[in-house]
Amino acid sequence: MKGVLILGAGNAQIDAIEYLIAKDGYEVHVCSWSAEDKGAKLADKFVQINITDADKIQEYVHKNNIDYIYSIGSDLAMPTVAKISARLGLPCFVSPELPMICNNKHLLRDALGEGFEGNIRHITARNLPDLKGWNHYPCVIKPVDSQGQRGVYEVRSANELEKYFDVSMSFSRSKKVIVEEYVDGQEFSVNSFFCHGEMKFSLVSDRIVFDEYPGGIIKEHHVPSLIDQDVKTKILDLVKRSAERLNIREGPAYYQIKLLKNAPKIIEITPRLDGCHMWKLIRHYCNDDLLASTFEYLLEGTEPIFKSDFSDKNLLLEFLCEKPQTIFSKSKYNVDGALELVWYYQDGDEVVSLNGHMEKCGYVVREIAK
């Protein structure tokens, strides 16, 4: 029996843990900084270790004869995954450098390059004087190394930039923020999969956020995207060019892209499956299972063959959200016609504050009218 270690035990990682538990021939280990995460109770073995502590995790891998280490839905996990896999010669889709670049927004911008079509104007800062001379408004300030839209604010003046600087900085582990030009256009996700440098799968979807809250907090994903084919072609061209620039050659990669005057601009790239369970939405839409493809390629070396049997249905993945500190009740939500339904909370639970505005309490996948 081979050992697989999943970094993280939260809602985003449960899909991976459940998939591996159901798969013959694998013992599933999970580590997380919190023993209270739901995935901790599902694993064959759980250990409480911070997923960014590469040395302690490497020690655990040695002691427990782990054959594979991986994660989904976590930017914090991927640098550790790649670093330990490289040290120990374990199978891995990416180099140790790639997750570090994608996990730090200023490194990503710098790696793409100032003249790269699809990059956006930006500046990084450790203090307010570092932003002297920045005069591109509106703009967005965000921590360079946070995730889940924490510490992200839209800013329309120098006074607002000063107002939000410290609170955005408070979410950065490296105590650095990035200020980017604001891209005020439609937003998209692209789920992609690479084998030997070739993009074998790609799907553009419409990404809908809460307009009333800062930071692009996700509300819904729609497939197929309703954008016209010309723009869709530009989006996929940008995905291919950026993958070549960053040397993304194997496994899944997830993109967030927005339009600026009909030109696609990269917001984020991460070399992993997304944290929104979109593989379920995609499976219902075109019969391709990105989660299974990822693990079959990683664990068994089986190169996926994608059907891309796109249906004529309009499908929606909707997060069932509530404000923090609210007492949760399933009765508030319409889940009629659910193809998939998952609750993160049970009736009577208090909703924990993560982004501080609107928290995910579960999700539903269903068909919607054209």
Side-chain angles (χ1 to χ4, degrees):
M1 182 170 289
K2 293 187 174 182
V4 184
L5 175 62
I6 297 296
L7 302 190
N11 292 315
Q13 290 78 47
I14 284 176
D15 291 348
I17 296 167
E18 290 179 335
Y19 173 84
L20 292 167
I21 288 292
K23 193 173 180 64
D24 291 336
Y26 294 93
E27 182 177 61
V28 183
H29 300 242
V30 172
C31 72
S32 172
W33 69 273
S34 172
E36 300 304 314
D37 287 343
K38 294 179 181 179
K41 300 175 179 63
L42 301 176
D44 294 318
K45 293 184 179 180
F46 172 79
V47 59
Q48 191 168 355
I49 305 175
N50 189 318
I51 62 175
T52 64
D53 192 334
D55 291 336
K56 284 189 178 179
I57 291 175
Q58 182 173 333
E59 182 181 348
Y60 182 85
V61 168
H62 267 305
K63 288 182 177 179
N64 292 273
N65 298 314
I66 299 297
D67 299 283
Y68 308 91
I69 176 172
Y70 199 60
S71 187
I72 64 175
S74 173
D75 287 332
L76 294 178
M78 295 312 295
T80 305
V81 167
K83 184 184 297 184
I84 295 176
S85 296
R87 287 177 182 174
L88 302 181
L90 303 181
C92 189
F93 293 133
V94 298
S95 68
E97 295 77 21
L98 180 61
M100 294 297 296
I101 290 170
C102 293
N103 199 27
N104 288 266
K105 297 171 178 62
H106 70 295
L107 295 181
L108 175 61
R109 296 292 173 203
D110 292 346
L112 290 174
E114 188 174 337
F116 182 81
E117 185 181 353
N119 207 355
I120 57 178
R121 287 180 292 192
H122 64 283
I123 186 172
T124 58
R126 293 189 180 276
N127 50 59
L128 277 170
D130 288 345
L131 298 177
K132 184 179 180 180
W134 177 265
N135 59 359
H136 304 290
Y137 297 97
C139 60
V140 175
I141 184 171
K142 59 180 79 171
V144 298
D145 50 5
S146 183
Q147 63 178 359
Q149 286 73 49
R150 299 176 182 91
V152 181
Y153 298 95
E154 181 184 338
V155 172
R156 297 191 173 274
S157 68
N159 287 338
E160 285 192 356
L161 189 58
E162 182 175 353
K163 172 184 175 182
Y164 288 114
F165 185 88
D166 287 342
V167 64
S168 184
M169 180 70 79
S170 70
F171 288 92
S172 173
R173 298 183 305 280
S174 60
K175 297 307 174 186
K176 184 184 287 188
V177 299
I178 185 168
V179 178
E180 300 173 341
E181 67 176 317
Y182 179 63
V183 182
D184 187 16
Q186 190 172 350
E187 190 166 354
F188 305 91
S189 294
V190 180
N191 287 81
S192 60
F193 201 102
F194 291 83
C195 297
H196 314 301
E198 181 180 353
M199 190 164 69
K200 294 286 191 177
F201 177 90
S202 62
L203 179 63
V204 180
S205 53
D206 294 332
R207 189 174 191 273
I208 312 300
V209 302
F210 286 97
D211 291 332
E212 61 269 39
Y213 300 113
I217 298 171
I218 186 63
K219 182 179 181 182
E220 300 171 354
H221 293 278
H222 293 187
V223 290
S225 170
L226 300 181
I227 197 68
D228 65 66
Q229 186 59 46
D230 179 61
V231 175
K232 194 176 296 185
T233 299
K234 291 179 182 178
I235 291 172
L236 293 179
D237 176 67
L238 176 57
V239 169
K240 289 180 182 178
R241 289 189 293 107
S242 59
E244 290 173 0
R245 180 65 64 95
L246 299 175
N247 200 29
I248 297 174
R249 296 185 53 81
E250 306 290 348
Y254 176 70
Y255 285 70
Q256 290 182 22
I257 290 173
K258 292 182 75 173
L259 293 185
L260 179 63
K261 297 178 180 178
N262 227 34
K265 302 291 184 179
I266 288 172
I267 304 302
E268 291 187 5
I269 304 173
T270 186
R272 57 166 173 79
L273 289 174
D274 64 88
C276 291
H277 316 279
M278 287 187 68
W279 70 275
K280 290 186 178 180
L281 177 68
I282 292 167
R283 186 178 62 182
H284 283 286
Y285 179 59
C286 63
N287 294 318
D288 286 317
D289 190 328
L290 293 184
L291 183 71
S293 295
T294 296
F295 280 108
E296 287 172 8
Y297 198 29
L298 179 69
L299 306 181
E300 300 161 15
T302 303
E303 187 172 325
I305 299 175
F306 294 105
K307 308 177 187 68
S308 297
D309 183 19
F310 300 113
S311 70
D312 59 356
K313 299 177 181 178
N314 282 356
L315 297 180
L316 161 77
L317 188 153
E318 177 187 3
F319 281 104
L320 308 170
C321 297
E322 189 59 83
K323 291 183 178 180
Q325 279 77 59
T326 300
I327 300 303
F328 181 74
S329 173
K330 295 178 183 178
S331 63
K332 294 181 181 180
Y333 305 96
N334 176 13
V335 294
D336 293 343
L339 301 171
E340 304 276 352
L341 176 62
V342 174
W343 299 106
Y344 296 166
Y345 288 88
Q346 298 302 317
D347 289 341
D349 290 346
E350 182 176 318
V351 177
V352 175
S353 179
L354 295 176
N355 61 52
H357 298 286
M358 189 62 75
E359 310 296 350
K360 298 173 184 175
C361 298
Y363 64 92
V364 60
V365 176
R366 57 187 163 199
E367 186 174 357
I368 55 177
K370 293 183 179 180

